[in-house]
Amino acid sequence: MKRAFVIALACMVLSPVLANSQTRRRSTQKRPGTSTTFAEKQQAEIRAGREQIATQIKALTRFLYLFGGIAKGIETAEQVNRNREATSVGMAPERIEQSKVKLKDSIKNVRAGLEQLESSFRLNPVLQSYYPNLAGVARLGQTAESQAAANNFDQAGRTLIAAVNKLADALVALR
């Protein structure tokens, strides 16, 4: 009898402790941890999107810096050849054409990079809400490529500057 009384007393004393410990475990369910993980994942995706845009801006501005000098050199060489001036600035027509082809290929690569960036935002569920800020940048790359194909390098450069501006605006929107 005494033994049953001690066991009953022990059960009554320990039951609130056990109930309390079970309640605490339930209150720290996995849901808050899961939402934190999802939020962290979302922030990581947005950070990666910002890095993609920043990388594209850096590459494009570096390209435009070189593009301006090359395009100006081609323009000057063509003008010298048209005027048939015999100076050291003049280039052989074959070299001018080689430079044009390389420049056009470079613009083609820039366009491909812009298309890849735009599609990565369009296809990523986390970044889709930011896609409207970036939409059209690939089209600017296509326009620049068409302008370069028509040997209108100055206008192609201006179009690529518009693409940089659009990328900068999209980067600001990703804050």
Side-chain angles (χ1 to χ4, degrees), residues 62 125 146 164 174:
R62 210 174 304 123
S146 299
V164 171
L174 264 162

Side-chain angles (χ1 to χ4, degrees), residues 43-118:
Q43 287 301 313
E45 288 285 331
I46 291 171
R47 196 174 317 113
R50 278 195 304 257
E51 288 172 6
Q52 285 178 329
I53 292 174
T55 300
Q56 190 67 40
I57 289 171
K58 289 175 187 177
L60 199 48
T61 53
R62 210 174 304 123
F63 172 76
L64 284 168
Y65 174 76
L66 298 172
F67 175 84
I70 295 168
K72 188 68 175 170
I74 290 171
E75 183 182 315
T76 303
E78 284 182 331
Q79 188 173 7
V80 166
N81 286 347
R82 266 183 268 148
N83 294 337
R84 299 189 194 276
E85 294 175 12
T87 65
S88 62
V89 180
M91 266 201 271
E94 303 83 34
R95 287 224 29 210
I96 293 172
E97 285 306 311
Q98 285 176 347
S99 296
K100 286 181 180 180
V101 168
K102 286 181 183 177
L103 206 52
K104 291 174 187 178
D105 285 343
S106 296
I107 292 175
K108 186 177 184 179
N109 292 335
V110 166
R111 178 203 38 88
L114 292 172
E115 285 178 349
Q116 182 181 3
L117 177 68
E118 190 174 321

Side-chain angles (χ1 to χ4, degrees), residues 116-158:
Q116 182 181 3
L117 177 68
E118 190 174 321
S119 68
S120 72
F121 270 69
R122 185 177 59 245
L123 299 175
N124 186 325
V126 175
L127 299 175
Q128 275 180 344
S129 61
Y130 300 104
Y131 173 71
N133 299 311
L134 202 61
V137 75
R139 188 178 49 238
L140 288 170
Q142 290 171 342
T143 302
E145 185 178 11
S146 299
Q147 291 166 335
N151 292 327
N152 193 352
F153 295 112
D154 185 56
Q155 194 58 41
R158 292 175 194 272

